[in-house]
Amino acid sequence: MSYILPSSEGKTGQFMYKIRPYVEADLGKVRNNYNGYGVKKGKITTLSSYSLGVRYYGEKITLDTGISKTDKGRNFTKAESHRGYVTVSATF
């Protein structure tokens, strides 16, 4: 889900129209084949996470920055509890 900020006719308004804050949620199922001792378990586990960020849409470049947090199932993926990210995309 994202929100488009209201714009006005000036340069500042046009710039603010290109900025979009967003919230993302992710939910999935994975099979956890091994426990911490290396014994095969074959249990299906639910993973979930959410992200909060801001995206800027330019004419040729898109910038995206945000933070993502694993909500459930982090111990099965051996990932950090939260992670920041920056993405730069070019269109030509």
Side-chain angles (χ1 to χ4, degrees):
M1 174 173 50
S2 67
Y3 177 74
I4 300 174
L5 298 171
S7 67
S8 62
E9 296 300 320
K11 285 190 173 229
T12 304
Q14 292 174 2
F15 176 76
M16 293 302 287
Y17 180 73
K18 296 178 181 181
I19 295 177
R20 299 190 187 168
Y22 65 88
V23 175
E24 296 177 336
D26 185 29
L27 180 67
K29 298 250 183 204
V30 296
R31 182 175 295 277
N32 179 19
N33 286 331
Y34 297 95
N35 65 10
Y37 302 105
V39 178
K40 193 169 185 176
K41 290 171 46 177
K43 179 180 173 186
I44 294 177
T45 306
T46 302
L47 299 175
S48 63
S49 65
Y50 52 91
S51 301
L52 179 67
V54 176
R55 189 169 290 137
Y56 168 76
Y57 292 96
E59 291 182 30
K60 301 219 180 238
I61 293 180
T62 301
L63 304 172
D64 186 6
T65 183
I67 188 164
S68 179
K69 180 162 178 48
T70 305
D71 187 36
K72 184 177 178 186
R74 182 174 60 89
N75 56 341
F76 296 113
T77 60
K78 297 180 183 174
E80 298 89 15
S81 63
H82 59 281
R83 175 178 297 189
Y85 58 90
V86 175
T87 306
V88 178
S89 304
T91 305
F92 51 95

